[in-house]
Amino acid sequence: MTEKTALTPATHTAPPAKFSHGVRKGNILQVAGQVGFLPAVEGQAPTPAGPTLREQTLQTFANVKAILEEGGASWDDVMMMRVYLTDVDHFAEMNEIYNAYFEEQGLKAPASARTTVYVGLPKGLLIEIDALAVLD
């Protein structure tokens, strides 16, 4: 049986509850929902990248990518992404940011599947993203 490995990049603080930022078992890697917190600074509370959707989305992508890389994966390995927004009015702007970001990544594989839903997040947070990757 393949061992399950928890993934916590050095850029991330410990999760606020008993869960892992990411988990890999065999060739499956699940990234837990990530938000736009700046890289961790010891002794300081997590800080959002900024008040705008753009700032938080780009930082959220960086946080997801850090976990993928910690587990030996890349964006090309992602099969499914789930985007959680706090405001329905952010959908079009998020799609613009999303499309531009992935154009810049130079993906070799087709784009992943994606679902977008609307949720409540802690005050000041506008977006959360999780990802499921399958490695070759």
Side-chain angles (χ1 to χ4, degrees):
M1 183 146 192
T2 307
E3 186 176 319
K4 184 167 73 171
T5 304
L7 305 169
T8 302
T11 54
H12 287 55
T13 60
K18 191 165 178 57
F19 66 87
S20 300
H21 284 294
V23 176
R24 179 168 176 184
K25 185 169 183 176
N27 69 334
I28 306 292
L29 191 160
Q30 176 66 56
V31 177
Q34 299 296 301
V35 295
F37 286 144
L38 293 168
V41 175
E42 193 172 330
Q44 290 184 9
T47 306
T52 69
L53 181 64
R54 173 172 291 286
E55 291 166 312
Q56 289 190 26
T57 301
L58 293 176
Q59 185 61 53
T60 300
F61 283 142
N63 294 341
V64 171
K65 185 177 181 181
I67 297 166
L68 290 170
E69 290 174 349
E70 184 83 7
S74 72
W75 287 121
D76 280 316
D77 299 308
V78 174
M79 299 295 293
M80 178 66 181
M81 291 180 61
R82 284 167 291 272
V83 176
Y84 307 92
L85 294 171
T86 60
D87 187 335
V88 296
D89 291 334
H90 287 160
F91 186 74
E93 180 183 359
M94 187 278 301
N95 275 337
E96 289 175 18
I97 298 164
Y98 188 100
N99 290 341
Y101 177 84
F102 283 107
E103 266 186 42
E104 293 171 6
Q105 298 305 302
L107 300 180
K108 296 174 183 82
S112 68
R114 189 187 98 191
T115 298
T116 303
V117 297
Y118 302 97
V119 299
L121 291 173
K123 185 177 171 111
L125 294 175
L126 305 174
I127 186 168
E128 181 173 351
I129 297 174
D130 71 47
L132 175 66
V134 178
L135 290 78
D136 292 329

